[in-house]
Amino acid sequence: MYVGIKKWGYDEWLSSAAISLFLALHLVIAGYPIILWDSARYLGSSLFLNPDYVSLSPVSYLLKPLITLAGAWGFAFFQIAILTYVTVSVLKFFNKNFTVGVIAILVSAAGYFAVQVMMDIYTAAGFLALFLVLNEDKDIFLYAILSICYVAHYENIFLFPLCAGIYWAIFDRKKFNLKLLPMTFLFLILVIGVFSANYLAENDFRFFPKVRYSMCAARIMADSPEIARSYMEKYPDSGFSKRKKLYEYAKTQADPFHVLLWDAKEGIGLGAGFNNFDKESKKFTSYALKNYKLTLFKNALKNTYRFLIKPGHKIGGESGKEPIEQFIGEFIPGQLAAAKNSLQYKGILSLISFELVYAMCSRITFPIIIFFIFLSFIKREIKNLKYYPFVVLTAIFILINAFAMSNFINIYLRYQLRVMLLPSLAASLIVADFLRHRKV
């Protein structure tokens, strides 16, 4: 093991300066770290060590010293630091300059996520750290970043080990055991850390959130009216049947999943009675799996395709005064004056078409990656390129992320864009290499 930064040369320090300044520019323009409705969970956990039944708490707990000193700015400072470090490390690995990294961040809107009081950037940053660790990089900082990113989201707990296993199976089967042991040890430590943090917060040894099945049930109900109505007919006294009016109303809305889950009074997931409905959600999910396997499979394919091709739903309240006044006024009142000068407070962020950003980014990067992988079966020398495994693993990761998020949570634009740094970086490497060969 070693500290990677000690091995940086002039090029790496230049890249670090350029990328960090480029990310900091996003923060300067925004005027204040972007506050969304989910930001309250992270602010509360960091400042007051408040438990939360839908969030993994350890990362917020780790940031407490920084948030105590800098408030909401601490999130942005830390996220800019880890994104800069993993990006520079990847560029060093592929022997590319900072231009490739800056272009990838610009095209993917990763800078927007880096300055949020959220944990969205941790999925892309963690993937980059994971790739380098899988390639036998012993940098202590990369292991630390991977650890933090791994427990930042529940999806990462599923995505990272699965991608690691796929990478070993495709590219590194001979060294599988050598890498499996330290990675397994690392993941076990993190799992124990989550259990311990939850216990200290609520005296409850748990790993997954208390609301385990509600999201899945809401997803099935939103996609498959025949399953929901069949269940209600078979169990007329169930809690879902008693909320049939809510269900029929939700089906008339653009995003029925969101209505079903988040309705404050009657929602089946995170409303007033979520504890009771999680048990029924489990029963409903089991009913659907038992009786409608083909329907669920078809819906899964449709959702995955929809996630990849079209921009998803926006989450209400993504910009405006209310989140700033409510959360900053409650948690960090001393920063409220600065927050009121932000683009978020003024509502200007709502003028940015992030749907167009995703549409353009996906339509540029996905065809490049698909063509590159297809061409590798014709020109076998492509498989010898150093960045070939990265491109392949990125494609696999994007597919798995699309399947997981679209079928177990929802097709939100946020979940689409937060991983677009990866295909943007992969496409940038391909194009940079192509241009270099053309000059030669």
Side-chain angles (χ1 to χ4, degrees), residues 76-96:
F77 296 157
F78 182 75
Q79 288 162 188
I80 287 173
I82 64 169
L83 182 57
T84 298
Y85 193 86
V86 294
T87 304
V88 171
S89 298
V90 167
L91 295 175
K92 182 177 185 295
F93 180 80
F94 292 121
N95 195 28
K96 301 296 182 184

Side-chain angles (χ1 to χ4, degrees), residues 85-123:
Y85 193 86
V86 294
T87 304
V88 171
S89 298
V90 167
L91 295 175
K92 182 177 185 295
F93 180 80
F94 292 121
N95 195 28
K96 301 296 182 184
N97 60 37
F98 70 88
T99 306
V100 173
V102 169
I103 290 174
I105 292 171
L106 178 64
V107 171
S108 65
Y112 169 82
F113 291 96
V115 299
Q116 286 188 17
V117 179
M118 294 288 283
M119 300 266 172
D120 287 350
I121 197 62
Y122 291 71
T123 301

Side-chain angles (χ1 to χ4, degrees), residues 414-430:
R414 198 177 107 201
Y415 298 144
Q416 294 171 315
L417 269 175
R418 72 179 184 182
V419 296
M420 287 307 291
L421 174 63
L422 307 177
S424 297
L425 188 56
S428 298
L429 290 169
I430 294 169

